[in-house]
Amino acid sequence: MNKVIRIEQKQDYKTVEEVIRLAFESEEMSDHREHLLVQRLRQSKDFVPALSLVCEVEGEIVGHILFTEIKIVSSTSVIESLALAPVSVLPSYQKQGIGKLLITEGHRKVQELGYSSIVVLGYETYYPKFGYQLASRYDIRLPFDVPEQNSMVIEFKPNTLAGVSGVVEYPKEFME
C-alpha cells in the first residue's frame, strides 16, 4: 500500500470533511461535528495551511490531520503553541499505521516550521507513544473540564515548556 502525505489543497476540502465525518461517525467520545470544526478553523486567522495534511492511498484521500495555532496564557506570559485536532482516518483504513504516519509527518512539519510544542486532547493510551506527556506536569490546563489523563503536551525543544503554566487559549472557532 503506497501512502503519500501531502499538504491539503482547497479542492480537497469536501473530501477531507467526509473523511473526518466518517472517521468520527461511530466514536462515542465525539459530538460528530469535527468536520464542521475543520471548516471553521480553515477560516480562522490561526489556520496554518502547511499544517493541514492528508494521507493518500492509491490517489484516494484516506486520512487527515490538522494543527492550529493556540496560546498558553498565564498572568505573566503568553506562549505560542499548536493544537492537534483532529486526526482522522477512514474506518476501512484504521489500524494500518495511517494515523501514526500523519502524526509523525505532522510533527516533522511542525518542527520544520519552527513551532516548539503541541497540545492535544486525546486518548491517554495513544498519544504517549509519540512523546506526549500530561499537560498537568507543566501546570497547563484546558479551558474546560476534561479528565487529566486526556490533556497532553509535547515539546520539541528541550525545556520549551519549563516554567510555563497557564490555560490554553483556543481560537474562537473551537468553541462554536
Side-chain angles (χ1 to χ4, degrees):
M1 182 175 3
N2 184 27
K3 301 170 191 163
V4 175
I5 305 292
R6 64 171 176 78
I7 295 172
E8 177 190 45
Q9 303 298 310
K10 286 187 179 186
Q11 63 267 25
D12 300 326
Y13 285 5
K14 290 295 178 205
T15 302
V16 166
E17 288 162 19
E18 185 64 4
V19 166
I20 297 166
R21 190 187 68 72
L22 291 170
F24 285 94
E25 190 172 49
S26 61
E27 182 60 46
E28 285 181 38
M29 302 299 281
S30 168
D31 66 0
H32 309 288
R33 298 172 51 84
E34 289 82 2
H35 61 293
L36 300 176
L37 169 63
V38 170
Q39 277 181 358
R40 292 189 308 269
L41 288 172
R42 288 187 191 118
Q43 305 305 311
S44 166
K45 67 176 178 51
D46 301 299
F47 176 63
V48 183
L51 294 177
S52 185
L53 306 175
V54 297
C55 178
E56 288 183 331
V57 174
E58 310 305 328
E60 176 189 2
I61 295 174
V62 301
H64 174 259
I65 193 167
L66 179 63
F67 300 89
T68 305
E69 291 181 343
I70 60 168
K71 296 175 177 58
I72 302 169
V73 180
S74 75
S75 60
T76 58
S77 66
V78 175
I79 304 298
E80 303 292 328
S81 188
L82 293 169
L84 187 174
V87 59
S88 313
V89 177
L90 282 175
S92 59
Y93 286 88
Q94 291 176 4
K95 309 233 185 286
Q96 296 179 36
I98 291 171
K100 177 181 180 179
L101 187 61
L102 283 163
I103 292 170
T104 302
E105 179 61 17
H107 283 179
R108 189 192 68 71
K109 194 81 168 151
V110 161
Q111 293 175 77
E112 181 182 288
L113 293 175
Y115 293 96
S116 57
S117 65
I118 301 170
V119 175
V120 68
L121 171 60
Y123 289 112
E124 71 272 15
T125 57
Y126 187 67
Y127 289 95
K129 297 174 190 177
F130 302 98
Y132 286 84
Q133 301 175 12
L134 293 177
S136 60
R137 175 179 177 190
Y138 299 96
D139 195 24
I140 295 171
R141 299 168 309 285
L142 300 185
F144 39 79
D145 289 332
V146 297
E148 178 182 349
Q149 71 268 18
N150 300 113
S151 176
M152 294 168 268
V153 298
I154 187 171
E155 61 180 1
F156 295 113
K157 297 175 186 166
N159 300 315
T160 296
L161 298 174
V164 172
S165 67
V167 177
V168 173
E169 184 178 285
Y170 288 98
K172 67 180 178 3
E173 291 80 5
F174 270 94
M175 306 307 177
E176 294 176 359

